[in-house]
Structures are given as structure tokens and as C-alpha cells.
Amino acid sequence: MNHSVSSASSLDSHAPSEGGCPSQAMRWEEQQKLLALEQLCGVFRVDLGHMRSLRLFFSDDACTSGQLVIASRESQYKILHFHHAGLDKLAEVFQQWKCCRETQPKDQVSDEKSCMQFSIQRPTLPSTETHPEERLYRRVDVTTWLRHLNHSGQVEEEYKLRKAIFFGGIDPSIRGEVWPFLLHYYSYDSTSQEREAWRLQKRAHYHDIQQRRLSMSLEEHSEFWRKVQFTVDKDVVRTDRSNQFFRGENNPNVEIMRRILLNYAVFNPDMGYCQGMSDLVAPLLTEIQDESDTFWCFVGLMENTIFISSPRDEDMERQLMYLRELLRLMLPRFHQHLTRLGEDGLQLLFCHRWILLCFKREFPDTEALRMWEACWAHYQTDYFHLFLCVAIIVLYGEDVTEQQLATDQMLLHFSNLSMHMNGELVLRKARSLLYQFRLLPRIPCSLHDLCKLCGPGMWDSRYIPTVECSGEHPDSQSCPYGGTSTPQPSSPSPSSSPNHTPTPPLDGKRGCKKRDIFTFRKQS
């Protein structure tokens, strides 16, 4: 009842007074009472006539629980959490408001926003838009895993295993067994005996690294504490503390995670420690549950996985460079909006955390780890994480273009989606986008490396699309990616024939010179 009174009063607060001063005094007194209610009872009021958007985020398959998010035109947000159902009933009420989108009072100025905006954030993915092999693979469980091992413990048909992991994921019960292969700690062709000998060897190596850290001189330790240990000590005590594996005071697993990170800084002093590494180590330790094995798997993650927490700006810029090109190719309307925003929009600030922390802060662990496994499988591309980024934008970025959000509002929009998105839906959409991308008859030379990786003998490995040279390459008479230039339709060459191969113009251009978004760099 308090919510109803609050909303009704808020809607009437801007109406013209019919009773003069007494009416205004009554309204002022009522507003003061409501303000007191806000402070004492936590009741808040929202002027629905001045809101920018009203959105529902469903967190369960039945669409009964989730969050109601109300945004003002000044990007102030009120969030109501529905933990035990009821959101579906509220959605039915709000559904009747959709007619307001086309309703505009006669006395309203035409250039003002007409009225309330309402949308339910429940994206769907039709079966026609999914990867054709989407339903052919189940999760890799113990039985499936053992089928991939021969009598010596070697993995047979590695490519088929990675493909199965890409589509179906890995059962949590065997992640500790399979992840070391994906992270290059174990070789796929190693036998069980060879792996056990390798573990003993790497365990001794890990012990040596730790001894090197513990035997530092006072000066070395002082510098190490200042550059590394101080930050590690702060980070580990607040990493995944809701996880049962790290919960509670004086949890020994927190100390193990701390040692792994400190020892890695000694092992790789050039990299040292960067904030966010603890978010990557914690799931590894949770699943592998061995200090030495976790350390070497983390080493493999940092050395062999493209989407890593890195202190170097050029690593992030390379990711963003490819992502901008993917958006330009696959989501042109969104890319045009970024271009209109200028350099701030093209920085793609909203997705920096997605890449740096491997979606760890955007999805629950159960879904984020599925995404990790799909990326580690290196099936068809080394850059599947960028297709995941595009999938998030496709499924949840409609408001950005519809409302023409500014850079800071766009950042806030995607930040509010954290932990409220459907990870399985994003995964399926990303696989579909990769499939569509690889079917393109011509792939721009700027994206050539995204589809470079492909294994032998499978249906999707025999076809490599033609690379189209789409721009100018300085200091090179031909495209370094092997791309070819397409002649202009307006001026056909008289020598054209079915067997004629087009040759690039002498200046290395294809038609008009395109805007140099691909080589955009962050300004210092």
C-alpha cells in the first residue's frame, strides 16, 4: 500500500493546482510524510512520468523471479529484487502499459519524450539462429572422457574432444582431470605414467620457486612486499568468499591461493601480479584442488590463453581492434552508434572487464566456467571470447541503440546487467555468430586471423573463406593477409572472364579509402 501511495503522489505532484494554496499545502505535507517513510521504512518513490526506462530481468526459467529496474532520465536507478516469485504477475500488469509508447497528450510539446518506456529483458534465440550442430553434443562426463583415452591413457582424436567440449562443456566432476589438458599442463599424447612422472617433476620445480621467494634478502623482500605482496594480501581475502571452498575465517584454501599468486610473481617477474589474477586462480584451485597442479595450470592459462589479465595496453587494444571490426561487420547499427559517440564510444569501455576477467564478474561461476571451457577448446578460432562479447551486445544491447545512450550511460547499462544475463543463451548465440562468420564468402583482411585456426578432417575445416583486402597496407604492395582486391562494379575490366583473377590496384586500395576505425588507438 505504501508503494501505491508513493507512486500516486509522485504522479500527481506536477499536476496544476485546482484548489489554490490549501491544496498545495496538503500536497507538500503529504510529500513530507512520504520522505519520512523513505528514511524510516526504506520506502522510495519514483516519478513514473519522468522515468527513462522500466526493465525486468528474469533470473529463473519460469520467469517468476529477478529484478525490476527503474531508470530516471538522469540515469538514477532503483532496483527491486524478487527472490521468491511475483515478478511474472508484475510483468502482466506492466504489459498493459505498452500502448503508452504510442500515446502522446495533446498539450505535450512534440520534441519531448512522449511517455513511459517499458521493456522486458527476456531475449530469446530461435532454433533457426543456432549453430546446426548445437544439439548433437552432450556434456563430457566420465564415460565420454574415458572413451577418448586409450589403454595407455593417451587422448585419441584430440580434435573431436575439443569439439565436444566446445558444444557440451565438461561435467564438474572431471574438470580437475580435463582442464590440465586444455591449459597445456599435460600433453594430449602423454601416457598416464608419463603424466605422473611429469607431475612429480613440476612439483619439485614449484617447490624451488617457493624456496626462492622465501629466501629473499630483507631488501628484496621489502621491494617484493611493496610491488606484489601488499596487493595480493588485499585481493585474496575478498575473492570468491561466497564460494564454500573459500568461505570462513582462516580458510587454508585462501592461503594456498595467496601462495600460488606470490610464487607466480617470482616465476614471472615481468608479469608480476595484476589485480584480477586472483579471480582467475580461484576457480582453478576450486576444481583442481592441488597447489602445484593449479599453479602450472595457471601458468598455462597466462601463456596460452589470449583473453588474459595483462598489464600491457597493446594486448587489450588488439582485442578491442578485432571486436570493433566484428561489430562493424555483424552489428552495423550498434557500430554506427559507437562511431557517432566518437573516440569515447570506440574505446568500448563497457567490455574491458569482460575480457580482462574472462566474464567472471558478468555471470555466475556455473555459466562463466562453461564459457572458459568453450574458449580453451580452441575450436575453429582462438578468439571465441570476442564472439561472446558480440553475443552479449546482440542479446542485451538493444536499449543502447534505441535510446541512443551516451558513453557513460552505456557503461552503466551493461554494468547493471552483471549477474542478470542468461549465460547459456549467450553461449549459444556466440556459437551461432561464429558459424555465420565462417560462412561469409569473403572475410575482411582485418579479421583474417580470427578464423585462422581449424583442425583437419571435419566438416568445417575444409572450407577457408576468401580473404578480401578492405584497406590500404602501408609499406606493402600486396595484402599481408593474402587478401585479394575486388574490382569496382562501375568500371568492369574488359579482360574479365570466369578464369580471370582480379589483381589489386597499384596503390593498394579497394574503392574509396575506408575510415580508419581498425587502427584506432587509445589517446594518451
Side-chain angles (χ1 to χ4, degrees), residues 2-14 34 38 43-54 68-74 76-80 97 116:
N2 289 336
H3 281 280
S4 301
V5 172
S6 175
S7 298
S9 173
S10 177
L11 285 171
D12 293 339
S13 60
H14 297 283
L34 290 171
E38 291 181 20
V43 176
F44 68 86
R45 59 179 179 157
V46 177
D47 189 340
L48 299 181
H50 286 74
M51 69 180 182
R52 191 187 77 228
S53 67
L54 178 66
L68 164 65
V69 181
I70 304 172
S72 71
R73 293 181 183 176
E74 293 76 31
Q76 296 175 335
Y77 287 78
K78 294 290 186 181
I79 303 177
L80 289 172
W97 292 10
M116 296 169 291

Side-chain angles (χ1 to χ4, degrees), residues 315-332:
D315 292 336
M316 172 58 76
E317 178 53 36
R318 181 173 180 82
Q319 308 296 307
L320 300 180
M321 180 174 63
Y322 281 135
L323 183 54
R324 281 190 291 269
E325 283 293 275
L326 276 178
L327 291 173
R328 182 178 65 84
L329 185 68
M330 310 192 80
L331 207 57

Side-chain angles (χ1 to χ4, degrees), residues 173-398:
S173 63
I174 59 169
R175 278 176 175 162
E177 178 74 19
V178 182
W179 280 12
F181 289 90
L182 296 176
L183 295 174
H184 301 272
Y185 178 40
Y186 296 149
S187 171
Y188 285 100
D189 59 359
S190 62
T191 65
S192 300
Q193 291 182 347
E194 289 171 343
R195 288 196 292 273
E196 190 57 35
W198 178 253
R199 285 188 69 205
L200 295 175
Q201 179 182 339
K202 300 303 284 186
R203 192 180 301 276
H205 189 185
Y206 178 71
H207 178 74
D208 292 341
I209 295 170
Q210 180 161 279
Q211 287 301 115
R212 201 190 321 160
R213 175 175 64 86
L214 297 176
S215 60
M216 288 180 179
S217 65
L218 289 177
E219 294 181 359
E220 290 173 333
H221 184 270
S222 177
E223 183 179 4
F224 184 77
W225 184 89
R226 179 173 56 85
K227 291 183 176 181
V228 175
Q229 186 169 333
F230 176 75
T231 308
V232 171
D233 288 345
K234 287 197 307 180
D235 285 356
V236 294
V237 295
R238 57 189 181 189
T239 300
D240 284 10
R241 295 315 295 269
S242 60
N243 186 331
Q244 184 65 39
F245 193 75
F246 297 105
R247 193 176 299 167
E249 295 297 325
N250 301 318
N251 189 316
N253 295 320
V254 176
E255 178 59 26
I256 293 174
M257 176 167 57
R258 173 180 175 272
R259 287 200 300 265
I260 290 173
L261 292 168
L262 294 177
N263 291 337
Y264 180 78
V266 173
F267 171 77
N268 189 354
D270 292 335
M271 178 75 73
Y273 175 77
C274 303
Q275 283 189 303
M277 286 185 179
S278 59
D279 285 280
L280 304 181
V281 168
L284 296 179
L285 181 59
T286 303
E287 300 297 336
I288 298 172
Q289 299 193 6
D290 179 89
E291 183 172 345
S292 173
D293 292 344
T294 300
F295 174 85
W296 292 113
C297 284
F298 180 64
V299 170
L301 173 65
M302 300 302 289
E303 290 180 352
N304 298 293
T305 305
I306 291 177
F307 63 120
I308 60 172
S309 176
S310 169
R312 297 176 299 184
D313 287 341
E314 59 265 27
D315 292 336
M316 172 58 76
E317 178 53 36
R318 181 173 180 82
Q319 308 296 307
L320 300 180
M321 180 174 63
Y322 281 135
L323 183 54
R324 281 190 291 269
E325 283 293 275
L326 276 178
L327 291 173
R328 182 178 65 84
L329 185 68
M330 310 192 80
L331 207 57
R333 187 183 174 202
F334 189 89
H335 185 268
Q336 289 167 6
H337 177 65
L338 297 178
T339 304
R340 283 193 292 269
L341 293 175
E343 293 185 359
D344 286 345
L346 292 169
Q347 290 283 1
L348 300 173
L349 293 176
F350 60 87
C351 70
H352 282 210
R353 188 175 70 181
W354 302 355
I355 299 173
L356 283 174
L357 298 181
C358 316
F359 309 100
K360 177 79 165 11
R361 301 276 180 88
E362 317 310 319
F363 300 93
D365 278 354
T366 52
E367 297 178 345
L369 297 186
R370 281 280 294 105
M371 296 178 178
W372 288 20
E373 291 165 351
C375 293
W376 294 347
H378 293 288
Y379 176 70
Q380 297 182 335
T381 178
D382 283 331
Y383 293 86
F384 184 65
H385 58 290
L386 298 185
F387 289 91
L388 288 168
C389 293
V390 177
I392 293 174
I393 297 171
V394 170
L395 294 172
Y396 295 97
E398 186 178 354

